[in-house]
Amino acid sequence: QVQLVESGGGLVQAGGSLRLSCAASGRTFSSYGMAWFRQAPGKEREFVAAISGNGLRRDYADSVKGRFSISRDDAKNTVYLQMNSLKPEDTAVYYCAAGFVSAARYDYWGQGTQVTVSS
């Protein structure tokens, strides 16, 4: 079992930055790929970014490439999402997930953190 807790969301002006964190419980954190998803009001949840268990593979949605960066610190059992040049359309609840990047299968999910970007 893996429990995930996100933090770092908030209100920011367009063009600003935020860093989201996702702290994981359990001693097997390094064996899991980690990902971030988001869901805006009235829209389906969408993939944002993912990082493999060994950190060598990083995937990004086209809409965030060049602006967002995913990283992990296995010593702290934490994955991060650095978000720069934020846009109002980035407004959503952001969820952390643990699973297998190559299979795009995520078995564990956090409760989400709200990110609001004002214009």
Side-chain angles (χ1 to χ4, degrees), residues 27-111:
R27 294 177 289 179
T28 59
F29 175 75
S30 61
S31 66
Y32 285 98
M34 301 296 297
W36 289 94
F37 289 77
R38 67 186 182 187
Q39 187 167 19
K43 295 187 177 181
E44 293 187 354
R45 185 173 60 194
E46 65 174 356
F47 169 79
V48 175
I51 185 168
S52 60
N54 59 15
L56 296 180
R57 173 178 174 173
R58 305 185 191 200
D59 297 334
Y60 297 94
D62 288 343
S63 58
V64 307
K65 280 181 181 176
R67 300 189 299 122
F68 290 12
S69 177
I70 189 170
S71 62
R72 63 189 298 155
D73 185 339
D74 289 349
K76 296 182 178 180
N77 278 14
T78 301
V79 63
Y80 304 98
L81 185 68
Q82 178 67 44
M83 305 186 294
N84 299 327
S85 302
L86 282 161
K87 305 174 182 179
E89 50 263 45
D90 294 318
T91 295
V93 177
Y94 283 71
Y95 297 91
C96 173
F100 301 94
V101 174
S102 59
R105 191 192 89 197
Y106 299 96
D107 299 319
Y108 303 100
W109 294 82
Q111 82 291 346

